Amino acid sequence: MFLIHSMAHFSSIYLPVLKMTGARKICEIGSELGGNTSILLEYADENHGHIICIDPCPDNNFYEKLINKENISFIKDKSLNAIFNIDCIDVWFVDGDHNWYTVFNELSLIDKVSKRDGKPFLAFVHDVDWPSGRRDLYYDPSSIPENFLHDYSWELGTVPEQADLISGGFRGAGAFAWAHQSGGEKNGVRTAIEDFIADGRVDEVEFLSIPGVFGLGVIVSKNHPFLEEIKSLLEPFANNPLLIDLEKNRLENYLELIRRQDEGN
């Protein structure tokens, strides 16, 4: 309750992009409690759009509340099973399992279906900065092939600028596991994006990184008809020093709160 962490907090940045590009069909990977989905659904209501949510375990209250609405569809499955069966998506929101294997393959599948459907690539990807930017997070380690799975812990936590996990810090308390080490090959969300672009797409897409709330990455086709307008909207936020400092301060305060709670103060 003390940490804002939802992609919803970037809505003032991404909604102008949706409106400007006239996005109608939107896919969200990972709905969690529905905070960001509710904002996208309001946009769809106002703009004759449709939302597709991919989540193997959506929040029951949220799911039951919206399942009968005409402009939202739920796919209760893992993203890597579902993406190829969806067509004609204008914008993707990627906020599911925050590890290299999942994100790299999500982006690769999105690229394939976008080219198949003649759609320019446009994706908003959450958690590109600390703590998941360079360290894998696993909700279900058994779903990751062994050769892509780092050693992990359900109990230990992470703090900025330290590669090893610690007893304390930011941790999942049984909800998720961290890779023991940060950095290195095939580790973390930002690394997955960089590797996706380096895999023959350097001349095809651009990447903008917006600090705050664990970081928002925006990947857009260089042939997108609204490329320059999108960049004009987003570049003032990209790698913004003020936002970087605010996020650093926010995380320091949160980690200090955790430390005091751990010590019983």
Side-chain angles (χ1 to χ4, degrees):
M1 64 179 295
F2 296 104
L3 181 71
I4 60 172
H5 63 279
S6 173
M7 206 175 194
H9 297 290
F10 290 102
S11 61
S12 62
I13 292 175
Y14 70 65
L15 282 175
V17 175
L18 300 187
K19 293 175 182 176
M20 179 183 63
T21 60
R24 292 291 179 268
K25 196 171 181 182
I26 299 166
C27 183
E28 181 186 45
I29 298 171
S31 61
E32 198 183 33
L33 299 178
N36 192 62
T37 317
S38 297
I39 293 172
L40 293 176
L41 188 57
E42 183 177 347
Y43 168 86
D45 287 339
E46 295 173 354
N47 295 275
H48 309 288
H50 189 87
I51 310 299
I52 298 174
C53 290
I54 305 174
D55 196 316
C57 301
D59 178 72
N60 284 333
N61 292 331
F62 173 69
Y63 178 77
E64 293 298 331
K65 180 180 177 182
L66 297 179
I67 186 60
N68 293 319
K69 287 184 67 70
E70 293 184 356
N71 57 351
I72 187 167
S73 303
F74 287 89
I75 301 176
K76 286 187 174 184
D77 201 350
K78 293 184 181 298
S79 59
L80 300 185
N81 297 331
I83 290 173
F84 202 74
N85 297 317
I86 302 171
D87 57 18
C88 297
I89 298 296
D90 296 310
V91 184
W92 300 79
F93 286 79
V94 180
D95 194 14
D97 211 0
H98 313 319
N99 56 72
W100 186 94
Y101 175 81
T102 302
V103 175
F104 178 85
N105 285 288
E106 284 172 339
L107 295 176
S108 298
L109 285 170
I110 289 170
D111 186 47
K112 287 181 181 178
V113 300
S114 297
K115 289 173 178 174
R116 177 197 68 194
D117 300 336
K119 289 285 187 177
F121 194 108
L122 178 55
F124 294 90
V125 185
H126 198 202
D127 295 276
V128 302
D129 292 332
W130 189 90
S132 299
R134 301 296 185 188
R135 186 192 298 275
D136 274 3
L137 177 155
Y138 306 115
Y139 289 111
D140 178 13
S142 67
S143 69
I144 309 298
E146 186 176 349
N147 55 325
F148 294 101
L149 182 66
H150 297 273
D151 291 336
Y152 60 90
S153 172
W154 293 97
E155 293 82 23
L156 299 177
T158 178
V159 292
E161 300 178 1
Q162 185 163 325
D164 295 328
L165 295 179
I166 67 168
S167 178
F170 182 35
R171 54 200 186 273
F176 59 81
W178 287 121
H180 270 286
Q181 292 282 322
S182 67
E185 294 183 357
K186 296 179 173 59
N187 196 8
V189 174
R190 182 180 288 267
T191 307
I193 293 173
E194 291 171 349
D195 291 347
F196 163 76
I197 294 173
D199 188 26
R201 301 178 183 88
V202 172
D203 296 326
E204 295 182 5
V205 299
E206 294 199 25
F207 172 60
L208 296 94
S209 179
I210 299 173
V213 198
F214 298 148
L216 179 69
V218 186
I219 308 171
V220 57
S221 293
K222 291 184 177 181
N223 66 358
H224 197 292
F226 289 93
L227 174 64
E228 295 306 318
E229 291 85 348
I230 292 171
K231 290 171 61 177
S232 179
L233 282 171
L234 299 182
E235 282 180 341
F237 302 100
N239 301 314
N240 185 290
L242 174 60
L243 294 181
I244 292 172
D245 286 344
L246 289 173
E247 177 73 347
K248 180 180 178 182
N249 178 258
R250 180 181 83 101
L251 294 172
E252 288 174 347
N253 290 335
Y254 181 63
L255 290 166
E256 175 63 15
L257 175 62
I258 293 176
R259 186 190 67 79
R260 294 188 183 192
Q261 288 176 334
D262 289 342
E263 294 180 353
N265 296 329

